[in-house]
Every structure is written in structure tokens, then in C-alpha cells.
Amino acid sequence: MNVVSNLGWFGRIGRSFKGILVGVVMALVSVVLLVGNERNAVRDIRANREVGKEVIPIGNESVDPGKEGKLVHLNGPTLTNDLVENPKFGISENAIRLTWNSEIYQWDERSETSTDKKVGGGETTSTSYTYEKKWVPNAIDSSKFEEAGHENNSVQKFSSGQSQATNVTLGAFQLPETLINKITSSEPYPLQEVPAGLVSETANVTGGVFYTGSPTAPEIGDERVTFALTQPSNVSVMGVQKGESFEPYRAKNGKIRFELNEGLLSATEMVQVLEQKAKFLRWALRIAGFVLMSIGFGLILKPLSVLADLVPFLGNLVGAATGIIGMLLAGGITLIIAAISWITFRPLIGVPLLIVALAALFFGIKKLTAKPANAPQTA
């Protein structure tokens, strides 16, 4: 199905000026995001350094009262006597966690939009809708589909969930729920037969997966449920010893550290993992802030390209130029924020960043305010 809409030049002008307000908001939000991210980055590095200095390696065989209230590190195998269960499917296993994921077979709508500019500054927008059957986690409301004939008139009977052990030990220590939640590795748990309470003409187990219908030729509304089991395994823990358990460590700057990694890691390796996670997060937020600000500046400068669309091809050139200018401005501001945050902490990084940032910002502003080379001269 294809839907076509037209918008004249005056309509585009009005829309672009409304977009200026949205662009300003996006630019301001990106500044807040970037400032908060850089501030948090410096605090993360200081907190991780503090953890590396304060942590004390201990064994897991016994609880040493002398380490009470201290930041400790230990590792070893976990154990539990708890049973994780799903009564509906008749499952009961000695493990840390049983998870089950339910999916339903549904029609799904996808759309692709293309826009073509017309002579005179208007534009034509064409949106094509396609439909496909697929397994999805939740039932899809087909009443909102653009085209009829793809109804999902079905109610999902099964839901996803988990059953988790509450008593998990690491040697002589009891793991709190916060740390148990961080044990995430699992392996498929195949069903052997259809549970007695779910037997029907179409229900079956194929490849260890429960199906309400045919696994090879499903129909709309059919469901399937898969299971996974998390078994006790080796883990490494870093936290403040509190009795026979642990509580979070609060660094001097207020950052919280309460870690569990799967596998046998040393204290140094756990700190390195912390630093890697923090580095990934701050770069992800830097990129997100830069992209958000670039889009914001693009919206602020959008009226210029719409005005230029009165002349064929000129609008595309102006749009490309304003896009580059927006990225230069966004890049300059992003680097300035990062530089100011790092100057006091690492001057050798902060000062060069500030110089590059100011250069990018100057170049962007210069391009934005420069007159075209072929501009008419006044007498």
C-alpha cells in the first residue's frame, strides 16, 4: 500500500520555522546531557581509582570480623539449595534462575517514507506500507494498521517471566539479591513433552520449545515458549563486607560500587572491567549528545534551505552546507564541554581539546556568516 501527500512551499516554510523551537530545545538538552556526562566521567575515574586503592582481597572459606565494613574482593563457586519453578509447565530445578520467554505469531506493519522536492519549493511525500508475519514478544494492535486485511484478533495466553533463587552462597557468604541479579549467563532448557495441563490437539514440543500450533507453518495467534536455566558458576565479587553478606561501597565523591562479574577475576581485573564499562558509556553519551545537537542545529538552520528551494538544486546545496555547519558547531561545543571538564583533571588532554574545539567553532561560525563569493555587488 502506498500513501502520497503533498505540501506546498508556504507550508514547508511554516513547518521549518516551527522546527526552530524544537531545534533550540534539542540543542539545550544535548548541552545538559554532555555537561552531565563529562562531569560523571571525571567522577567515575576518581571513584574507580579509589576502589583500586581501598579494596582488600579475602578468601571465601570463612568470615573475618576484622574486615567488617571494609571494601573486599573475593571469588569462587556459587551454590544454592533453592528450587526455581514454573508450575504451569511442571518445571522444578535446583538452579539460580529459570527464565521463560513467550512469543506470539502476528502480522507486523512496516513503513518506508521517501520525499521528493517539486519545482516551486513544494514536496511530495510517499509512504509505502508492507506487512509480514513474524514472532513477536507481545501481541500487536492491528486496528492501527494503515491497510485492512491483516488482523491480529488474538489474545496472548502466555507471558514471559522468571523464577529466581533467594539463597545463593559464595563460600561462607550469602549473596544479596542485587548481586544475584548480575549472574546472567544461561543455557537453553529444553522441554521433553507437553505439560499435562496444556495438552490439546495442536499443542506440541519441538526442539525443546513449546508450541500451541505448528512450528513449521504457524498461524496468526499461535504462541511458543522457550526456557533457559542459570546454573551456579564461578563469580567474583567486590563490595563492603557486612556480616555474612555484602553492601554497596560509596566512594568519597558519592559514586556507588557494588560489583559481581562471572568468572574468576582478580580485584585489578574487576576495576579494569569497571573502567571499560564507564568508558563505553561516556563515549556512547558523547556521540548521542553530538548527534542530538547536530539535529538541533539542523532544524534551526532548516528555513535557509527551504527558502533556497525556490530555485531548483539550490535548496539541496544550501541544505548540505547548513548540515556541515551544524555539525561543526555541534562538534565545537561538544569538544569545549569535554575540554572544560577535563582541564582541571587532565590538563594534557583538556587544553588540546579546547584548542581544537575553539577552532571548529570559529570555522563553523565563519562559514555561517560568510557571504557567497558570487553575491551581487552594490554600486
Side-chain angles (χ1 to χ4, degrees):
M1 182 178 182
N2 196 49
V3 178
V4 178
S5 61
N6 295 288
L7 185 65
W9 182 77
F10 286 104
R12 291 184 64 208
I13 283 290
R15 184 180 62 185
S16 67
F17 277 104
K18 291 178 182 177
I20 292 177
L21 178 60
V22 177
V24 170
V25 172
M26 292 179 69
L28 292 175
V29 170
S30 68
V31 169
V32 174
L33 173 65
L34 290 167
V35 170
N37 180 52
E38 296 303 332
R39 178 175 178 272
N40 188 64
V42 174
R43 295 177 68 229
D44 267 335
I45 291 175
R46 287 174 173 165
N48 292 338
R49 285 184 176 180
E50 180 182 329
V51 166
K53 294 178 180 179
E54 296 293 329
V55 65
I56 303 172
I58 64 171
N60 63 39
E61 302 83 6
S62 61
V63 178
D64 181 0
K67 300 298 189 299
E68 183 73 11
K70 303 291 186 180
L71 175 62
V72 298
H73 161 270
L74 67 161
N75 56 33
T78 56
L79 292 173
T80 183
N81 292 320
D82 289 0
L83 296 177
V84 291
E85 302 175 317
N86 184 313
K88 181 179 289 188
F89 284 86
I91 300 173
S92 181
E93 294 286 347
N94 172 224
I96 290 178
R97 186 183 302 107
L98 172 71
T99 59
W100 53 92
N101 293 305
S102 171
E103 296 177 293
I104 185 169
Y105 201 62
Q106 299 276 271
W107 280 109
D108 185 34
E109 179 184 73
R110 299 182 64 183
S111 63
E112 292 185 3
T113 301
S114 60
T115 301
D116 296 315
K117 294 179 181 179
K118 301 187 297 183
V119 176
E123 68 179 20
T124 298
T125 301
S126 177
T127 304
S128 60
Y129 295 89
T130 57
Y131 299 85
E132 64 174 334
K133 299 175 182 179
K134 60 191 297 187
W135 290 103
V136 294
N138 299 297
I140 298 174
D141 183 4
S142 58
S143 66
K144 298 179 181 179
F145 286 175
E146 193 71 22
E147 183 180 74
H150 306 92
E151 285 73 29
N152 292 321
N153 297 324
S154 53
V155 177
Q156 194 166 2
K157 299 176 183 178
F158 299 96
S159 59
S160 299
Q162 69 173 33
S163 172
Q164 181 169 288
T166 56
N167 298 299
V168 180
T169 59
L170 172 56
F173 294 89
Q174 179 83 25
L175 294 183
E177 183 180 4
T178 302
L179 295 184
I180 297 174
N181 291 339
K182 295 186 178 186
I183 306 174
T184 57
S185 63
S186 63
E187 56 188 23
Y189 179 83
L191 293 180
Q192 301 302 317
E193 59 184 5
V194 177
L198 300 175
V199 174
S200 69
E201 292 183 0
T202 58
N204 67 94
V205 171
T206 303
V209 179
F210 172 79
Y211 291 87
T212 61
S214 170
T216 56
E219 299 180 354
I220 296 299
D222 283 355
E223 297 183 55
R224 68 182 181 186
V225 184
T226 57
F227 293 84
L229 204 63
T230 299
Q231 299 280 9
S233 60
N234 289 325
V235 300
S236 302
V237 169
M238 186 182 294
V240 175
Q241 180 176 315
K242 183 180 181 181
E244 297 180 350
S245 189
F246 309 97
E247 64 180 6
Y249 174 78
R250 182 181 293 274
K252 294 176 182 178
N253 60 12
K255 298 293 290 186
I256 300 297
R257 294 292 180 263
F258 199 29
E259 303 301 318
L260 181 146
N261 296 121
E262 295 179 84
L264 301 176
L265 277 67
S266 66
T268 300
E269 290 171 328
M270 290 192 71
V271 172
Q272 290 174 347
V273 171
L274 277 173
E275 292 173 343
Q276 291 170 357
K277 290 180 179 178
K279 184 177 181 179
F280 174 82
L281 178 61
R282 63 176 172 262
W283 274 106
L285 291 177
R286 281 169 183 162
I287 294 172
F290 167 74
V291 171
L292 187 64
M293 189 179 296
S294 297
I295 295 173
F297 278 126
L299 290 173
I300 292 171
L301 300 174
K302 182 67 175 178
L304 297 177
S305 63
V306 177
L307 287 169
D309 274 333
L310 285 172
V311 181
F313 305 111
L314 185 58
N316 290 336
L317 293 175
V318 174
T322 55
I324 294 173
I325 292 170
M327 292 179 66
L328 285 171
L329 294 175
I333 294 174
T334 299
L335 290 174
I336 286 174
I337 292 173
I340 292 175
S341 299
W342 286 86
I343 279 177
T344 56
F345 185 59
R346 288 183 178 175
L348 293 179
I349 296 178
V351 173
L353 269 180
L354 186 59
I355 294 173
V356 174
L358 292 173
L361 194 61
F362 171 77
F363 188 70
I365 295 174
K366 184 178 180 181
K367 285 291 184 182
L368 182 62
T369 57
K371 293 182 180 180
N374 59 351
Q377 301 295 321
T378 57

